[in-house]
């Protein structure tokens, strides 16, 4: 079945690292994504990882994939106030296929 | 490069009325998607077009929702008649054929009273 689960809220102090976790149920998913949604804005793709990879790093972002446990995480180093948003974990089977989204994790930055 | 355009940005209607949303994808993007995002949830695909053909409309409530992309560019999504549970943000996205990244528009926030 299609299901993506993630915690709803996360509070982090400015300058600390944020780690947002996600689990998915479909082992045939090929692409796993992290999208960011700021208030009143559409979704912005932050990064994605192929299912045959276990890690991807892009500047302050690190994605870890544990395919055996169907667990995906997004680490944001040196969290800034501009990182305050809702982060969606998502999966798809093929390129240009529909994307199955989780409910999103609201990241709150503490001063 | 211009992004995905959607209009209107906001719409308030009464239940049983009709409403239509418009989307203009990024130039050259063959694939167009309509998603429904209910408050507190992630987006859910309603319909996917490849050029002007429907690829997936399995989650579209066809008794009240319809969508078209006649010339393979712009698309409209219509709801007739609207129900209270249709209150949501309707997101349009586009991608290159066989592209991994979907580019999302700002969405249309629909409130049905």
């Amino acid at each position: 079945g299609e299901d993506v689960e993630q915690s709803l809220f996360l509070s982090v102090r400015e300058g600390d690292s944020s780690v947002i976790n996600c689990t998915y149920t479909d082992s045939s998913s090929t692409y796993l994504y992290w999208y960011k949604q700021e208030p009143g804005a559409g979704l912005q793709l932050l990064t994605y990882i192929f299912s045959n990879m276990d890690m991807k790093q892009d500047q302050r972002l690190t994605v870890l994939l544990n395919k055996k446990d169907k667990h995906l995480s997004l680490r944001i180093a040196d969290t800034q106030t501009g990182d305050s948003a809702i982060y969606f974990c998502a999966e798809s089977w093929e390129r240009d296929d529909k994307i199955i989204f989780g409910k999103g994790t609201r990241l709150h930055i503490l001063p | 490069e211009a992004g995905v355009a959607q209009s209107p940005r906001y719409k308030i209607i009464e239940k049983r009325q009709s409403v239509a949303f418009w989307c203009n994808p990024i130039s050259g993007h063959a694939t167009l998607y309509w998603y429904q995002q209910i408050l507190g949830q992630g987006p859910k695909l309603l319909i996917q077009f490849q050029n002007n053909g429907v690829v997936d409309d399995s989650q579209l409530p066809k008794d009240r929702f319809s969508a078209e992309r006649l010339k393979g560019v712009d698309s409209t999504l219509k709801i007739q008649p609207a129900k209270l549970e249709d209150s949501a943000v309707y997101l349009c996205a586009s991608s290159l054929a066989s592209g991994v990244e979907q580019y999302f528009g700002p969405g249309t926030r629909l409130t049905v009273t």
Side-chain angles (χ1 to χ4, degrees):
Chain A
E2 309 166 348
D3 205 7
V4 178
E5 299 283 343
Q6 52 185 129
S7 54
L8 296 182
F9 300 99
L10 178 66
S11 290
V12 174
R13 293 210 174 275
E14 189 175 359
D16 287 352
S17 292
S18 305
V19 180
I20 304 172
N21 294 301
C22 162
T23 56
Y24 60 98
T25 55
D26 195 333
S27 57
S28 58
S29 293
T30 304
Y31 298 91
L32 296 143
Y33 309 84
W34 285 103
Y35 275 84
K36 178 182 180 181
Q37 187 174 41
E38 294 179 273
L43 287 98
Q44 173 197 357
L45 179 65
L46 282 179
T47 185
Y48 67 91
I49 189 169
F50 296 110
S51 60
N52 62 358
M53 298 169 65
D54 52 19
M55 188 182 93
K56 181 177 181 181
Q57 188 155 3
D58 183 3
Q59 298 182 344
R60 293 191 297 123
L61 305 178
T62 302
V63 178
L64 295 177
L65 173 62
N66 181 329
K67 197 172 180 183
K68 174 176 169 288
D69 294 337
K70 300 191 191 74
H71 182 266
L72 184 74
S73 68
L74 173 69
R75 178 177 179 269
I76 305 173
D78 187 24
T79 307
Q80 304 297 308
T81 54
D83 295 324
S84 181
I86 300 176
Y87 290 81
F88 290 93
C89 174
E91 61 176 350
S92 70
W93 293 273
E94 297 177 2
R95 288 173 175 266
D96 76 13
D97 200 0
K98 70 177 179 182
I99 296 177
I100 307 299
F101 288 87
K103 291 186 176 180
T105 299
R106 184 178 295 274
L107 178 62
H108 177 61
I109 314 302
L110 301 168
Chain B
E1 176 182 83
V4 176
Q6 291 188 246
S7 67
R9 291 296 310 275
Y10 305 91
K11 189 75 177 178
I12 300 174
I13 61 171
E14 295 182 351
K15 60 184 179 183
R16 291 188 289 273
Q17 286 188 322
S18 303
V19 65
F21 312 128
W22 173 82
C23 172
N24 179 237
I26 293 173
S27 177
H29 281 194
T31 310
L32 185 146
Y33 313 78
W34 283 102
Y35 288 85
Q36 179 193 57
Q37 185 177 18
I38 293 172
L39 186 66
Q41 298 191 15
K44 183 185 79 171
L45 181 75
L46 291 175
I47 189 166
Q48 177 183 346
F49 292 94
Q50 179 86 3
N51 296 308
N52 60 353
V54 174
V55 174
D56 184 351
D57 64 357
S58 58
Q59 299 296 305
L60 188 74
K62 298 181 187 64
D63 58 334
R64 298 184 300 107
F65 285 64
S66 64
E68 60 183 13
R69 193 185 184 200
L70 291 175
K71 295 182 180 178
V73 181
D74 293 4
S75 176
T76 55
L77 176 70
K78 296 179 182 177
I79 308 175
Q80 180 180 12
K83 292 186 175 182
L84 296 177
E85 59 259 37
D86 298 331
S87 293
V89 176
Y90 291 84
L91 295 164
C92 179
S94 70
S95 70
L96 293 167
S98 299
V100 175
E101 182 168 2
Q102 294 182 21
Y103 296 81
F104 283 80
T108 297
R109 182 177 296 277
L110 173 68
T111 302
V112 182
T113 62

